[in-house]
Amino acid sequence: MGCELALLVVAAAAARPTGDVWAETTPSASVYNPYKGDASDAEYAALEASKACVEICEAPCRVSDGQLLESAKPVTPYKVIDGIKSATFQTCKKLCTEDEACSVWTFKMSRLECLLYHRLQPFDTDPTRADSMIAGCARRKTSVVPAGCPALGQLTGTACKAECPMPCKVCDSSVTGTSSAMIKVSKPNQQECGKHCRLQQECHMWTYDSRLSQCFLYDKAVTFDQDYERAAHMTAGCVRTQAAQW
């Protein structure tokens, strides 16, 4: 079985199942030449725009639950829908397409189960693992977090940390990822961004985008979003969970 390379991914060979098919297709001819060195922003943007999802991966096919890197988190669906609500793979595909948090999906025909996944993953086409399953890709990059943005302390392991290293930003369930910021200002570095937040009585958290040299201040205390696709070039931090009483 062949593989359609979707992304430039360094994978641990032993952790990658045989028979994988990537959820993206990349055109054979591209303005970006990976052998000449780093691409310009325009070249990379053109390459990204030229990629497309593999909408349907015919049976036997499922979203791989293997870990591409030894240190990666286990791959699990963020939502499982069964019964009449997911009676066909077309319904499963529609559920994923209509959910901005869904990237890829698997439909288990024998159980009438629809599994929605937040992150782009390769498809596993090994019949011993993917029998009676069909899968597909709705979008390459999700724009929102599956369960919204819980408040700090609402989930185990979430706390007000002074700094969350790159890739990290304040969780924002908007499409742009920065629309709920109360203040947007240019700053030379993350230290100045954090300082600016501490000087604002209503500022709880901050995000610094090193590519744009932009500082985003938030008047809420929510979880950090450490998704690489959304938080690349970003660092964040928490100053306080309640407004300062000066």
Side-chain angles (χ1 to χ4, degrees), residues 174-194:
S174 67
V175 174
T176 61
T178 56
S179 66
S180 67
M182 69 172 188
I183 295 176
K184 303 174 186 179
V185 62
S186 295
K187 290 292 178 181
N189 53 54
Q190 65 198 51
Q191 289 80 12
E192 288 298 316
C193 184

Side-chain angles (χ1 to χ4, degrees), residues 178-184 197 200-205 216-220:
T178 56
S179 66
S180 67
M182 69 172 188
I183 295 176
K184 303 174 186 179
C197 181
Q200 307 296 319
Q201 188 173 9
E202 296 295 325
C203 184
H204 292 36
M205 304 180 76
F216 303 92
L217 306 187
Y218 298 84
D219 58 356
K220 59 183 181 180

Side-chain angles (χ1 to χ4, degrees), residues 135-182:
C137 175
R139 56 184 58 82
R140 295 177 51 250
K141 297 180 181 179
T142 57
S143 55
V144 300
V145 180
C149 299
L152 281 180
Q154 188 172 329
L155 299 177
T156 302
T158 60
C160 186
K161 297 191 297 184
E163 185 171 317
C164 178
M166 187 184 304
C168 184
K169 70 182 186 68
V170 173
C171 181
D172 190 324
S173 58
S174 67
V175 174
T176 61
T178 56
S179 66
S180 67
M182 69 172 188

Side-chain angles (χ1 to χ4, degrees), residues 84-143:
I84 192 66
K85 293 182 180 179
S86 61
T88 66
F89 80 86
Q90 292 93 338
T91 303
C92 188
K93 176 185 176 184
K94 185 173 184 288
L95 289 169
C96 184
T97 302
E98 293 178 349
D99 187 345
E100 290 293 329
C102 182
S103 180
V104 288
W105 54 271
T106 293
F107 179 68
K108 295 184 176 181
M109 292 179 275
S110 60
R111 298 183 181 180
L112 298 184
E113 279 186 349
C114 177
L115 283 62
L116 305 185
Y117 295 82
H118 181 50
R119 297 298 302 274
L120 189 68
Q121 281 291 120
F123 293 134
D124 183 357
T125 57
D126 188 304
T128 63
R129 294 186 294 264
D131 183 47
S132 299
M133 299 182 198
I134 187 170
C137 175
R139 56 184 58 82
R140 295 177 51 250
K141 297 180 181 179
T142 57
S143 55

Side-chain angles (χ1 to χ4, degrees), residues 201 242-246:
Q201 188 173 9
Q242 295 181 347
Q245 301 298 316
W246 295 338

